């Protein structure tokens, strides 16, 4: 039996029995792991996009692990000002990580993107689209060639810049945002 401690992002939650939940979690060191935990009324329930610290207990030849000692580190800032499209963009980022992330990619960079998004006080749909495009760039799905020269320059910038600089872009108008969302 082994015990690992790390920061994790919850990508997917499934109910497997009456009080058992199955989590698909992602970390920068161990990639994606499936773990289960019993639902408890005394603990705060976990949700998608939470970044949590906890211990995971593994055993040889077991594909579903146990989790314990959970502490929520951060969560996507859901306030009354969040609209459906912003939440949808964030969920699409998690879905991309869950479905399309190859195991040979640098996971710490993608984990860093999610952490930056969660820590931002003001995050809007445009920043989430830019973050999603950065993840596309990391997993080599981003084509930086575009018929619109401005879009092409933005895509090159996204491809070559760290997430901190990308999230500082503020001059993107609605028309450009819609074009970037389609990509």
């Amino acid at each position: 039996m082994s015990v690992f401690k790390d920061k994790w992002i919850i990508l997917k939650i499934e109910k497997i029995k009456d009080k058992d939940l199955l989590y698909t979690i992602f970390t920068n060191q161990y990639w994606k792991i499936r773990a289960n935990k019993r639902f408890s009324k005394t603990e705060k329930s976990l949700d998608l996009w939470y970044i949590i610290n906890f211990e995971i207990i593994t055993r040889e030849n077991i594909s579903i692990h146990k989790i314990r000692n959970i502490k929520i580190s951060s969560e996507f800032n859901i306030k009354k000002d969040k609209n459906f499209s912003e939440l949808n963009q964030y969920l699409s980022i998690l879905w991309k990580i869950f479905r399309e992330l190859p195991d040979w990619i640098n996971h710490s960079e993608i984990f860093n993107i999610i952490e930056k998004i969660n820590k931002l006080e003001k995050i809007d749909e445009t920043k989430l689209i830019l973050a999603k495009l950065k993840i596309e760039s990391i997993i080599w799905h981003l084509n930086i060639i575009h018929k619109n020269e401005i879009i092409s320059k933005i895509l090159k910038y996204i491809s070559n810049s760290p997430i901190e600089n990308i999230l500082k872009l503020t001059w993107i108008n609605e028309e450009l945002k819609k074009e970037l969302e389609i990509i």
Side-chain angles (χ1 to χ4, degrees):
M1 179 171 79
S2 301
V3 177
F4 299 100
K5 294 180 183 180
D6 203 351
K7 280 186 182 177
W8 311 79
I9 298 170
I10 299 174
L11 297 177
K12 186 177 180 185
I13 303 171
E14 300 170 70
K15 190 174 182 179
I16 50 177
K17 287 186 183 171
D18 191 30
K19 292 192 175 193
D20 282 349
L21 298 171
L22 180 63
Y23 298 95
T24 302
I25 50 183
F26 171 74
T27 182
N28 58 357
Q29 288 185 352
Y30 306 111
W31 198 53
K32 290 186 241 179
I33 295 176
R34 292 175 55 121
N36 74 335
K37 181 184 178 319
R38 269 201 167 293
F39 174 75
S40 170
K41 289 184 178 180
T42 59
E43 294 177 334
K44 182 177 179 181
S45 62
L46 301 175
D47 207 347
L48 295 176
W49 64 65
Y50 279 19
I51 296 180
I52 53 178
N53 294 318
F54 63 80
E55 297 174 346
I56 190 159
I57 303 149
T58 65
R59 292 195 176 109
E60 267 187 72
N61 301 323
I62 302 288
S63 63
I64 299 176
H65 312 285
K66 300 278 186 203
I67 56 178
R68 66 179 186 198
N69 298 334
I70 298 169
K71 180 182 173 223
I72 299 171
S73 174
S74 69
E75 57 188 270
F76 184 60
N77 192 4
I78 305 178
K79 293 187 178 174
K80 292 179 183 174
D81 62 341
K82 293 288 178 241
N83 62 37
F84 174 77
S85 59
E86 290 170 346
L87 295 174
N88 192 39
Q89 286 297 331
Y90 192 82
L91 290 173
S92 69
I93 290 171
L94 294 181
W95 183 252
K96 186 158 292 301
I97 294 169
F98 179 71
R99 285 286 183 209
E100 298 178 16
L101 183 66
D103 50 352
W104 51 269
I105 293 290
N106 180 356
H107 303 117
S108 59
E109 189 175 1
I110 292 176
F111 193 88
N112 180 42
I113 291 170
I114 299 297
E115 264 193 319
K116 296 286 184 209
I117 291 170
N118 280 7
K119 289 181 180 176
L120 285 177
E121 284 295 317
K122 292 188 176 183
I123 185 88
D124 59 16
E125 187 179 5
T126 304
K127 290 181 181 179
L128 290 168
I129 290 168
L130 295 173
K132 186 167 73 171
L133 290 171
K134 180 62 179 177
I135 292 173
E136 290 275 344
S137 169
I138 294 168
I139 61 176
W140 297 4
H141 290 172
L142 184 65
N143 182 4
I144 60 173
I145 298 166
H146 195 274
K147 62 184 177 197
N148 183 330
E149 189 177 325
I150 296 171
I151 296 287
S152 190
K153 285 181 181 181
I154 293 170
L155 295 174
K156 285 178 189 173
Y157 182 77
I158 289 170
S159 185
N160 296 324
S161 300
I163 191 66
E164 295 83 3
N165 295 346
I166 294 167
L167 293 175
K168 291 178 185 175
L169 293 177
T170 56
W171 52 267
I172 296 175
N173 61 29
E174 280 297 312
E175 184 181 318
L176 290 173
K177 182 180 91 170
K178 287 179 183 175
E179 278 289 321
L180 290 169
E181 189 175 13
I182 293 170
I183 297 172

